[in-house]
Amino acid sequence: MSLPLHQSVKGKLLTLTLIPIVLTLLALIGLTAYWTSSYVNRQLYMKVAADLSVARSTLQMMQDRQLERLQQLSNAWHIHRNMTDDQRSLLNALVNQIRDRHDFDFLRLLDMQQLEQARQNEPSLAPLIAQAMEGKGIKGLSVIELEEMRHIHPDLAELATIQVVPTPRARPSDKSRETRAMFVRTLYPVFDADGEPAFLLDGGVMLNHNLQFVDTIRELVYGPDTLPEGGIGTVTLFLDDIRITTNVPAPGSQLTDTLQERAIGTRISEEVYNRVLDEELMWLDRAFVVSDWYVSAYEPIYDLHNQLIGVLYAGFSEGPFIRAYLRTLLELGAILAIILLISALLVWRSASQLFAPVKRIHQSVMEVRAGNNQARIGRLDTGDEMADLAHHFDAMLNELDARQTTIRQSAERLEHLVEERTLSLTRKTLELVEHIELLKATREELFTKEKLAVLGELTAGIAHEINNPAAVILGHMDLLQAELGPDAADVQEEIDTVIEQVYRIQAIINNLLQYSRPDQVIDQLQVIDINRTIEDTQALVRHALDKKGIGITLDFTEICDVEGNRQQIQQVLINLLLNAANAMENKGNILVRTRPWHAPDGAEGVCIHVEDRGQGISEAVLDKIFDPFFTTREGGNGLGLSISRSLTRRYGGDLRVKSTPGHGSTFTVLLRAKALIRHDDEATMQQLLAGLGVA
């Protein structure tokens, strides 16, 4: 059996040798990655900053060129202040030709009357008129609202509208359409022959959907071979945070010259928004652009009134640079892995030669462990410490073999002696157990006989003494009923109750007389309607419950009749109802429910639930309530529940309880339809106590 590589000495030597090499290579890879990443990031951010500077310069050149054109027009014209309508029409036609030839989106020649109207109808122009008429001209960016564009030129509003597209990572917004437009706008006065300003040239180029503007900048800064393969260079102009012109491709499309394939209408990411539009600072970092990460540069742009109106952006996709960076690291890692593999092979070969004797010693040890006590290393020709170790190891195995033989013989003798002593001890233990069981049975039998003898004598005397007063009560009740005559109807229910209870006493006396002769006990079984019995029991406890303001709610279902002693079942119910009343501190109702029940052996039966809303029973008390003489009520004797459970169990049933402290208790009486009589001494004693009326 050979050890796994990581547990062998050779493997450990290989590990110790390779760990410094691996750590060195990992450190080299880490330093290379760090230096490369730092250098590349620095170069990328320098490049994108330069790209943004080109975009800014291009936008400025566009403004300067537009101002030069209007200045040339103004200097070329000699205009009289009082022009005829025909002259004005010809001049307007010339202005329109110049607008079309120089790609103006609008170019107007406004006289003084029109300028006065513009002050009222064009909020973007009104503050600039006075400054423009001074003769220096004005250039810059201007944002024009929808109604103002319609006043300037009816076609501008339709060209300017941009549908806002939901954009990942953008600040939440309900805006669905951008109707404003950003213009490169130029104002320059036209003077008359006297050198006085007579007209104002107002020209503008719309930047909304202006692909030529962003594509011109892209061609300047992101020409061929300026980016890695698959890289995308982009320029964008934002009105607020909405892209009004861009060459960033729309999600899921390739960049083309059509508006539909560009991300016009998408919005700037929230993190860029916070820095550039909220804090009015430049952004120079990687940023999420529409659907991908770009190395990005953003800066705020302002209009002619020096109000922040949007953002100018330049950037290129980050993915190709990351792939190139990872490819470089992968190539470096592959070269270092090959070096590591060659080093491992050299170390492995040297270790195999060095540890061949150790492997031979290990094999011999494994054979001995497997049970081959004759295995030996033998002679080694290495002539070093290993040969001496092998010789001493073989000598040790020989000595160990001899000692094991001696130990084995001693163990066999000891085992035989232990078996003899164990057998003798086992026989004596069995005899002792038999004697103990016999003694216990004899003691229980004597105790039971003594207890029954005493109870028999007590029962006979009590039964004789109670039977005579019961007969006298019955006689006087008959005499009382006869004396009252018709007047007895008012108290007939009470008279019937007294007579019924006297008969119950006589039934108990009969049971007592039977229990005085335990060998002749005969259970007086009756077929009992449980629902009717519960209704009759109400009358017996009504007076006691009325004094406490407690009622009884009955919930009966169709159930079978049961075999048993009606007086004893009533005794159980009376005990449970009175206990429930005592448990309830305030007025309320006791709920009595009857349901069908099936015994564990499948026999049919009846289940009676007596439920109160009293203070409940704690867990510490719950385990003791059926013990004889255990009570928590002052004046109680602690025998009621013990006798009740014995009475139910006498006929094969049971009495159970569930209680929640603070919420009340539910006692459940289980009775079989076909009684199973128990004649054990415990049941006899409990019945006798029941006959004494202790319940």
Side-chain angles (χ1 to χ4, degrees), residues 331-503:
E331 292 171 352
L332 176 61
I335 293 173
L336 296 178
I338 292 173
I339 295 173
L340 181 62
L341 179 60
I342 294 173
S343 301
L345 291 175
L346 293 175
V347 173
W348 180 262
R349 182 176 178 182
S350 300
S352 298
Q353 296 175 355
L354 178 62
F355 288 99
V358 177
K359 184 176 181 181
R360 186 170 170 182
I361 294 174
H362 179 263
Q363 290 174 347
S364 178
V365 173
M366 291 297 103
E367 290 180 9
V368 172
R369 289 184 59 186
N372 183 10
N373 295 330
Q374 304 304 318
R376 299 294 184 267
I377 299 173
R379 182 178 179 82
L380 294 178
D381 297 329
T382 57
D384 54 13
E385 293 87 347
M386 293 296 179
D388 189 41
L389 176 62
H391 172 71
H392 288 290
F393 187 78
D394 286 345
M396 182 186 65
L397 290 178
N398 292 332
E399 183 178 354
L400 182 61
D401 192 23
R403 290 187 179 182
Q404 286 180 341
T405 300
T406 303
I407 293 172
R408 191 183 308 110
Q409 293 173 353
S410 300
E412 290 175 355
R413 290 194 298 269
L414 180 60
E415 184 178 356
H416 180 69
L417 181 59
V418 169
E419 287 179 356
E420 291 180 352
R421 298 293 176 87
T422 302
L423 182 59
S424 174
L425 182 60
T426 301
R427 285 197 301 267
K428 292 181 179 180
T429 302
L430 292 175
E431 292 175 0
L432 181 59
V433 169
E434 291 176 358
H435 292 162
I436 292 174
E437 292 295 332
L438 180 59
L439 180 61
K440 186 186 297 184
T442 303
R443 179 186 176 189
E444 291 178 356
E445 184 178 355
L446 290 174
F447 179 74
T448 300
K449 289 181 178 180
E450 182 181 356
K451 179 175 61 176
L452 290 177
V454 174
L455 291 177
E457 294 177 4
L458 177 63
T459 300
I462 293 175
H464 179 74
E465 293 298 329
I466 293 178
N467 201 26
N468 289 335
V472 172
I473 293 172
L474 279 177
H476 281 76
M477 290 305 298
D478 290 339
L479 179 61
L480 177 63
Q481 191 171 7
E483 288 292 333
L484 291 175
D487 295 334
D490 295 336
V491 291
Q492 187 63 44
E493 184 177 351
E494 285 74 10
I495 294 173
D496 292 342
T497 299
V498 172
I499 294 173
E500 182 180 357
Q501 292 306 303
V502 172
Y503 281 130

Side-chain angles (χ1 to χ4, degrees), residues 15-124:
T15 302
L16 291 175
T17 306
L18 293 181
I19 283 177
I21 300 176
V22 172
L23 292 177
T24 302
L25 296 181
L26 290 177
L28 180 60
I29 292 175
L31 290 174
T32 303
Y34 173 75
W35 289 334
T36 304
S37 174
S38 300
Y39 176 77
V40 170
N41 288 343
R42 185 165 59 252
Q43 295 299 316
L44 292 179
Y45 293 146
M46 290 174 61
K47 172 176 172 50
V48 77
D51 298 341
L52 181 63
S53 177
V54 172
R56 185 191 317 115
S57 300
T58 303
L59 183 61
Q60 185 64 40
M61 289 174 59
M62 185 176 180
Q63 299 172 20
D64 294 340
R65 187 165 53 250
Q66 190 168 303
L67 179 62
E68 290 175 0
R69 289 172 181 165
L70 294 188
Q71 187 176 9
Q72 291 172 0
L73 287 177
S74 176
N75 294 335
W77 291 344
H78 298 285
I79 298 176
H80 299 285
R81 181 177 295 274
N82 298 318
M83 298 179 63
T84 64
D85 291 340
D86 291 340
Q87 291 174 329
R88 180 61 185 270
S89 298
L90 291 174
L91 188 58
N92 286 335
L94 179 60
V95 169
N96 291 336
Q97 290 178 7
I98 295 172
R99 179 195 66 198
D100 296 336
R101 185 166 63 248
H102 293 286
D103 296 325
F104 281 94
D105 287 295
F106 72 88
L107 181 61
R108 301 182 296 173
L109 184 65
L110 303 175
D111 57 21
M112 293 302 175
Q113 183 178 358
Q114 291 171 326
L115 287 176
E116 188 62 31
Q117 294 176 355
R119 283 190 176 93
Q120 301 175 4
N121 300 326
E122 299 181 25
S124 65

Side-chain angles (χ1 to χ4, degrees), residues 205-280:
V205 175
M206 183 188 296
L207 295 176
N208 291 30
H209 301 296
N210 193 332
L211 302 185
Q212 182 181 359
F213 168 70
V214 292
D215 289 348
T216 300
I217 300 175
R218 183 186 62 185
E219 291 172 0
L220 286 174
V221 297
Y222 301 119
D225 300 326
T226 58
L227 295 175
E229 182 179 357
I232 301 175
T234 57
V235 179
T236 300
L237 195 62
F238 292 87
L239 177 54
D240 288 342
D241 67 334
I242 299 173
R243 289 179 174 85
I244 59 174
T245 181
T246 183
N247 38 43
V248 174
S253 65
Q254 299 295 326
L255 184 62
T256 66
D257 291 335
T258 64
L259 291 174
Q260 291 75 13
E261 298 298 327
R262 304 203 182 197
I264 293 177
T266 58
R267 300 170 55 231
I268 203 168
S269 66
E270 185 172 10
E271 54 193 359
V272 177
Y273 188 109
N274 295 337
R275 181 170 179 82
V276 180
L277 292 175
D278 285 347
E279 301 177 12
E280 299 188 29

Side-chain angles (χ1 to χ4, degrees), residues 545 548 550 575-590 610-617 632-633 659-660 662-667:
L545 298 184
K548 293 181 174 243
I550 296 174
N575 182 61
L576 295 180
L577 290 171
L578 292 179
N579 282 353
N582 290 329
M584 298 172 64
E585 298 179 352
N586 302 318
K587 296 180 180 181
N589 284 322
I590 301 171
V610 179
E611 182 177 341
D612 66 68
R613 288 290 179 264
Q615 54 191 332
I617 306 171
T632 58
R633 183 163 54 90
S659 182
T660 303
H663 293 82
S665 305
T666 300
F667 284 83

Side-chain angles (χ1 to χ4, degrees), residues 503-573:
Y503 281 130
R504 181 171 174 235
I505 293 173
Q506 288 182 338
I508 293 173
I509 295 304
N510 291 333
N511 285 336
L512 290 174
L513 292 175
Q514 290 177 353
Y515 289 130
S516 68
R517 300 185 294 275
D519 56 338
Q520 300 179 11
V521 172
I522 300 176
D523 290 282
Q524 298 176 354
L525 297 179
Q526 304 167 268
V527 176
I528 304 171
D529 182 344
I530 292 297
N531 290 343
R532 178 64 180 273
T533 301
I534 295 173
E535 290 176 345
D536 294 343
T537 305
Q538 280 191 99
L540 303 180
V541 297
R542 180 179 301 160
H543 180 67
L545 298 184
D546 288 345
K547 288 198 302 182
K548 293 181 174 243
I550 296 174
I552 298 178
T553 302
L554 302 179
D555 179 11
F556 292 160
T557 56
E558 186 176 348
I559 54 177
C560 64
D561 294 338
V562 301
E563 283 186 349
N565 186 293
R566 189 172 189 273
Q567 286 76 20
Q568 293 174 353
I569 292 176
Q570 276 192 321
Q571 182 177 343
V572 172
L573 291 173

